[in-house]
Every structure is written in C-alpha cells, then in structure tokens.
Amino acid sequence: MKATTVSEMRELDRTAIEKFGIPEEILMENAGEAAYFALSKEFGIRGKRFLVFCGMGNNGGDGFVIARKIHSSGGAVKVCVLGDPGKFRGAAKLNFHILSRMPIQVRQIETVESLTTELTHTDAVVDAIFGTGLTRDVEGFYGEVIERINGSGKVVLAVDIPSGVHGDTGKVMGTAVRANYTVTFGLPKVGNLLYPGYDLCGKIYVTHISFPPSMYDAVPCEINKPPGLPPRDKRAHKGDLGEVLFIAGAASYFGAPYFAALSFLKAGGGYSRLAAPRSITPFIATRGSEIVFVPQKETAAGSISLENKGALIELSEKMDMVVLGPGLSLEEETQQLARELAREIHRPLLIDGDGLTALCRDLQILKERKAETILTPHLGEMSRITGIPVPEIDLQKVEILQRAAQELHSIIVLKGAHSLIGYPEGGVFINLTGNPGMATAGAGDVLTGTIAAMFGLGLSIPDAVRKGVFIHGFSGDLAAHMEGEDGITARDILDYLPLAVKMDREGIDEEFKVRYEGPVVI
C-alpha cells in the first residue's frame, strides 16, 4: 500500500477533481460514508450518542457528512462547530447547510466549559477538527478542546488524522487527539504511519474515496511488505547461504562486532567472518564460537590498523558482502582505513556506525562506488551525512532520505520508529515492524547482520534490505511479546531471529499480521 505526504495528497485531490471530473462534494460524501462505516463496524450506531467536533476546513465538512449518516441510522448526534459557520466554503459549506436543515443540534462552541456536560453525556466522539493541513502548534482554545476530548475517556474516531498530528512527520503539534480509530482518505499519510502519530491513530482504516488506482502510480512511498524468502535448499552447505566479512570492533567495543557477526548466522546466513582487533578476538570468541575470526593488527588505541588494508581487500574479493563499521572506533588511522576500504572494495558493502562517520569526511567515495552500497544511519548519523540538523530532518524525513539516496547512489535505512528505507531510484518504504523497546545499544548491529543474512538466503540486495529491516523489527516484536518492551536488549533481538525467520516462512500469527499489513481498506 502506498502512503503520501500532505502535498502529494493535495495533488491527488486536484487530479481527481480536474482530470477525472470527480466533484469535491462526491469526494467528501465518500470520505464521510467510509468514516461512518468504520464507526458503525467498530462501535455501533443505533441507540448510541455521538458528539462530532468540526473545524473550519474540509475536515469539518467530512464531520457534517458523518453526523448526517449517524442520524439517518438511528444514532443521537450533536455537532460542535469550532469557529464561525459563515466561513465555510465549497463542499463543507454545502454539507453544513444540509445538516442545518435536519433535526440535529448544531452549535458554535466558544468556551470549553460548555463542553463538560456534552462530553459526559455522550458515548463516542468524532474528531473532525483539523485534518492533515495543520502547520502550526495547537494551543489556546483548540488545545483546551483537544485536552477535554482526551480527558473524557470516550471512544474517539479521528477523521483523516488525529487533530494536532502533523500529516508528514507524525509529530504532535503542541497537543493532539488520542484516537481509538482513524479513517484516512485516498491513501494513508506518512504522519499516520510514523510515531507518535501512528500510536495516536489507534486502528487505522483507509478509503480510496473513488480515486482511480492509476493515480497512485507516481507516489514513491509505500508500506514495507517485502517478498518471501526463497526455499532453503536441503542440499546447501554453509558457503551456499552467504559468506560475509564483518570489519568491526575496537578496544572497549566488543558487543558491536559480536552482535553484527552472530546475527548473520542467527538469521540464516552461512559463513560469518569477523575481522576485529587481535586483542579483543579471544573475548568475543568465548561468546560467539560459531564465528570465523580474522584477527587484525592494532593501532596504539586498540583499533584496526591501516596495515591490514591489503589483506582485507584481498579477503573481501572472496566474500558475497562486506559489513564495515560496527564498533570500529573514531581513531583517525582506522577512520582512514574505513574510507580506503570503501573506495577499493568491489563487493556489496553495508556501512554502519563508525564506518558512516568515516565516510562523512569524503562522500565522493560513495558516489563513485560501482557495487551496491547500503547505509544504516540513525538520525544523528543522517545529520552528519547530509549536513542537515536533526530537527530539520525530522520534519522532512521522506524528502531528505530520497535526496540522499539518489545523491549517494546508496540504499539508506534511516533507523527510527518506524524505520524508512530509501532507494537511489527515489522509492521509500515505511517499515511497520519493531517497537520502542528496541531503542537499545546494539540493536542496530543486529540489523546489519540480519540484512546480510537475507542476501545470503538468496534475495537481491534491494529486497534483502527490506526483508532484513522487516525481520529485525519482527524479532524485536517477538521479544517484546514474550519478555515485555522494558529491558529488551540486543541479545534478546538476536535470540528471537530464528523464530522470526521461521514464522515469516510458515505464516505470521494473525496478531502480528494485521499490524504489519497496515491500514484496513474500506
């Protein structure tokens, strides 16, 4: 399923109206009908009381349609207009006038105190206040109304997106409605799918409001639903399931190389080689004896020395993929080594952690690489790569990710809740697996090994990245389900990888499947 930014959705609306001749009134009627259907399905209508809050834009117009349909189906409904009804325009104005002729109480709300009784004596609330067009923080009167809705304890259905949630980022603009259900129109918005907006939406429905499917062809962003894994060859030996070299680790950084190299094996990979400083290799070996070690000469600081460059390049030519960077250290000699290796290794290369920091000094290396390159930054590392401050990236994740992937000729996994995967051709995938408990040291190192394993199991590099991100998050969800989100460690994510791969092959439990499918289509 595709997902849009707010500006892309406006363009889709314009196209529907101007190219296909679908009147705005029909689009609004279809939107209201779908929201009403979800409310009826999830909560019921006849004999129940509803309070519909309508803002001054088309979101409010959708609310008028919903109120009318509640009334026609035997529900008791009251409409609270937050503003001057004389300012309605277009389809919203038309639906306000229709509603005003019906025996439905419609009143303009000027003080929040007057809402106390109304909220006490209703069964459910419809939030049709702002929608996706919000561009500034909610405060004052509107903020107080939202706080009253949240404090009422009533079931809430949000129209398009909970009021106060930014349509592109999922960020809360001052304050926001916490909905039990959200019905979004055309396509889900990016803000419906990124935290905290995703959490505030509750269960998400989407209705295409009669948009022709061809309109979605040019939308570059979609929910990550990666292809299935190829069957595991019963005659395969370890070399058939991927050989990966991990160049990682330094004094005091034992965990990162261990988690990266072992997660490759736990997720199904065949042959994991770890090039780590000689002095730390015995300690890692006591925990990960399944790893094949390639001890490296060290700098005085205990990181991998530049002296190893020739041997590492020679070894890399025998590998299916190279992973560079987990726990590598910021020691200058090792950072130089990372840059030179990235320039001269001709195999698919996944760069993470300190490897990303090294390449930020010379991004031209990435632009000139011929083999496929994968970068797995968190927001801080993405800031260093792009030179854009973190808050600005947070406001334009999709656009900045697209631009960076294209400019660097790299597949980029922007880690977070939810992670985004950007491709050089412009496509972006939103991954729905994972949970807040995975915000823990070492989780990103497990991701690198999981992506490499998906390549070893037979997927193409682009598909392996999508699959790896999905399986990594799924493993974290299994860990959270069994252990609870609090206290999840990278070791827990690592330990659940075999089960995640097994369930992915055999069929994911319905509880998880529904969540990962994304919005339910009406």
Side-chain angles (χ1 to χ4, degrees):
M1 181 183 294
K2 295 291 186 77
T4 70
T5 63
V6 174
S7 61
E8 286 169 343
M9 194 69 239
R10 289 198 187 103
E11 184 62 21
L12 290 175
D13 283 334
R14 188 191 66 78
T15 299
I17 294 168
E18 296 180 6
K19 179 178 179 180
F20 293 101
I22 306 173
E24 182 184 31
E25 292 80 5
I26 289 181
L27 297 178
M28 186 170 288
E29 185 74 13
N30 290 345
E33 174 74 25
Y36 159 79
F37 174 83
L39 191 61
S40 177
K41 177 177 181 292
E42 296 287 353
F43 190 70
I45 300 295
R46 182 168 294 278
K48 295 183 178 179
R49 299 164 298 177
F50 299 87
L51 198 58
V52 181
F53 288 87
C54 295
M56 299 309 298
N58 280 348
N59 201 245
D62 298 331
F64 297 144
V65 176
I66 297 166
R68 169 162 43 88
K69 293 183 179 296
I70 289 172
H71 173 72
S72 67
S73 295
V77 60
K78 295 181 180 180
V79 177
C80 299
V81 179
L82 306 182
D84 179 5
K87 293 183 179 180
F88 285 117
R89 296 291 180 268
K93 181 178 181 179
L94 172 65
N95 278 290
F96 175 74
H97 286 315
I98 293 172
L99 197 70
S100 299
R101 295 185 179 97
M102 302 180 77
I104 296 174
Q105 182 179 327
V106 181
R107 66 189 187 94
Q108 182 179 352
I109 302 299
E110 296 179 340
T111 64
V112 293
E113 289 73 23
S114 63
L115 295 176
T116 303
T117 301
E118 302 286 11
L119 285 166
T120 301
H121 294 93
T122 194
D123 297 312
V125 170
V126 174
D127 160 33
I129 302 172
F130 289 128
T132 60
L134 189 66
T135 57
R136 59 185 179 183
D137 283 356
V138 180
E139 53 190 20
F141 170 69
Y142 289 101
E144 292 178 21
V145 170
I146 288 174
E147 292 300 327
R148 291 292 179 102
I149 292 172
N150 288 343
S152 70
K154 306 299 181 179
V155 168
V156 178
L157 179 137
V159 176
D160 215 5
I161 199 167
S163 291
V165 174
H166 194 286
D168 285 341
T169 69
K171 299 294 183 185
V172 172
M173 307 289 284
T175 187
V177 168
R178 177 173 289 277
N180 302 90
Y181 311 101
T182 297
V183 181
T184 191
F185 309 131
L187 290 172
K189 317 307 176 290
V190 174
N192 290 123
L193 302 175
L194 298 182
Y195 282 96
Y198 179 76
D199 189 43
L200 293 170
C201 284
K203 182 176 182 179
I204 306 175
Y205 285 88
V206 62
T207 175
H208 298 306
I209 57 174
S210 73
F211 284 175
S214 61
M215 286 175 54
Y216 303 145
D217 291 345
V219 176
C221 191
E222 61 185 289
I223 293 171
N224 182 30
K225 296 181 183 177
L229 288 168
R232 195 174 178 103
D233 188 346
K234 291 180 173 57
R235 301 166 298 170
H237 59 78
K238 59 181 178 288
D240 295 329
L241 299 171
E243 295 189 55
V244 174
L245 173 63
F246 294 83
I247 303 171
S252 301
Y253 290 100
F254 295 19
Y258 164 77
F259 286 122
L262 191 60
S263 61
F264 171 73
L265 299 175
K266 295 284 279 186
Y271 208 132
S272 180
R273 285 184 171 87
L274 174 58
R278 187 181 306 277
S279 63
I280 73 171
T281 295
F283 298 97
I284 301 175
T286 61
R287 300 186 65 195
S289 56
E290 305 92 338
I291 301 166
V292 177
F293 292 91
V294 188
Q296 299 291 292
K297 298 175 183 178
E298 302 180 20
T299 66
S303 60
I304 301 176
S305 167
L306 187 59
E307 293 180 64
N308 302 287
K309 173 185 165 183
L312 286 172
I313 291 173
E314 183 179 352
L315 179 57
S316 74
E317 293 305 313
K318 302 173 184 177
M319 298 292 103
D320 297 308
M321 176 185 281
V322 176
V323 174
L324 173 66
L328 199 61
S329 94
L330 301 179
E331 205 279 327
E332 182 51 42
E333 181 179 334
T334 306
Q335 291 274 291
Q336 181 183 345
L337 171 66
R339 287 188 288 273
E340 295 190 17
L341 289 175
R343 181 182 290 110
E344 298 184 40
I345 286 175
H346 303 300
R347 309 301 293 170
L349 180 64
L350 192 161
I351 306 173
D352 182 52
D354 295 334
L356 293 171
T357 301
L359 270 295
C360 288
R361 293 268 299 272
D362 190 354
L363 294 174
Q364 191 63 30
I365 294 171
L366 297 176
K367 298 176 183 180
E368 293 175 356
R369 275 183 49 80
K370 303 302 181 186
E372 291 160 301
T373 308
I374 306 161
L375 312 179
T376 57
H378 53 57
L379 273 174
E381 291 163 340
M382 190 67 171
S383 177
R384 290 194 286 275
I385 290 169
T386 61
I388 300 171
V390 168
E392 189 174 335
I393 295 176
D394 228 8
L395 292 175
Q396 304 177 66
K397 280 183 180 176
V398 172
E399 294 86 347
I400 290 172
L401 177 61
Q402 284 178 305
R403 187 163 64 246
Q406 291 169 345
E407 290 177 356
L408 300 178
H409 306 156
S410 302
I411 301 171
I412 302 178
V413 179
L414 180 54
K415 296 180 289 194
H418 291 120
S419 292
L420 301 177
I421 308 160
Y423 288 82
E425 299 79 16
V428 173
F429 292 86
I430 302 175
N431 188 66
L432 297 186
T433 63
N435 62 83
M438 297 176 70
T440 184
D445 304 309
V446 177
L447 173 63
T448 64
T450 305
I451 291 172
M454 298 303 104
F455 181 52
L457 289 173
L459 293 177
S460 67
I461 289 287
D463 287 344
V465 175
R466 290 176 56 199
K467 193 69 168 185
V469 174
F470 180 91
I471 291 291
H472 175 257
F474 183 27
S475 182
D477 287 339
L478 290 171
H481 181 71
M482 298 302 294
E483 317 291 344
E485 286 185 6
D486 295 310
I488 289 177
T489 65
R491 180 79 213 196
D492 296 316
I493 303 169
L494 180 82
D495 286 342
Y496 277 95
L497 282 173
L499 180 58
V501 175
K502 177 178 183 290
M503 290 178 67
D504 183 76
R505 286 188 182 277
E506 298 177 357
I508 296 175
D509 288 353
E510 193 66 21
E511 176 184 352
F512 294 109
K513 184 178 180 181
V514 169
R515 173 179 159 192
Y516 302 157
E517 283 293 322
V520 178
V521 178
I522 298 176

